[in-house]
Every structure is written in structure tokens, then in C-alpha cells.
Amino acid sequence: WVVRVGSFSKVQNANALVAKLRQAGFVTFTREISNAQGVKLTSVLVGPELRKERLEQQLPKLQEITGIERLSVMSYQPTENN
């Protein structure tokens, strides 16, 4: 399970959020995505966590750190490193 806490067009903005979250004790990673218009973005995700409940319990703290009220836990889809 993961929580997407942001997607950024500037990699440095994504890295700044990663650093902030890691400093607060969260396991984070980034993933390159493209939005519906084909714009490349860097998504910041917290996790992965085996137990969904663990991330759900952390949502209030994540909301406080990010300033985003509508965060949700979603299933983690690993990608191949080719």
C-alpha cells in the first residue's frame, strides 16, 4: 500500500518533499509519470507498506506535513526496472 502525496513538474520540488517526509520518519520514493496531457511529472509516494491500516493511521500526519487534505491509501503497483 502507498499514499501519493504529490506530483511535480520540477524534480527539485519532488526532492524537497521527499527530504521533508524522510526527516519526519516516513519511507518515501518517487516515480516518473505522465499526466493526461502527456506532461512528465515526478510523483512522491509514501510506502510501500504491507498493512493498509498502518498507512491509514499516518494520514493525519501526512496531511499536516503536505497541507493536502484529501490523501488516500492505494494499492502499490511495483514496476520493472528495465
Side-chain angles (χ1 to χ4, degrees):
W1 299 97
V2 295
V3 177
R4 184 182 347 225
V5 292
S7 294
F8 302 88
S9 57
K10 294 185 178 177
V11 174
Q12 55 267 45
N13 293 343
N15 291 338
L17 181 55
V18 166
K20 188 175 182 180
L21 289 165
R22 286 185 177 161
Q23 188 174 7
F26 290 97
V27 175
T28 66
F29 66 99
T30 60
R31 184 175 280 174
E32 302 300 317
I33 64 164
S34 295
N35 68 9
Q37 291 75 34
V39 176
K40 293 204 179 294
L41 301 170
T42 302
S43 279
V44 177
L45 299 106
V46 172
E49 174 60 57
L50 288 176
R51 291 178 48 224
K52 183 178 183 182
E53 304 78 37
R54 267 201 167 146
L55 281 178
E56 288 173 337
Q57 291 167 357
Q58 295 176 337
L59 285 177
K61 176 101 173 150
L62 287 170
Q63 291 165 336
E64 180 183 322
I65 292 170
T66 62
I68 301 170
E69 290 182 24
R70 299 189 67 190
L71 295 175
S72 61
V73 178
M74 59 185 168
S75 63
Y76 174 58
Q77 303 296 323
T79 60
E80 291 185 32
N81 292 327
N82 290 337

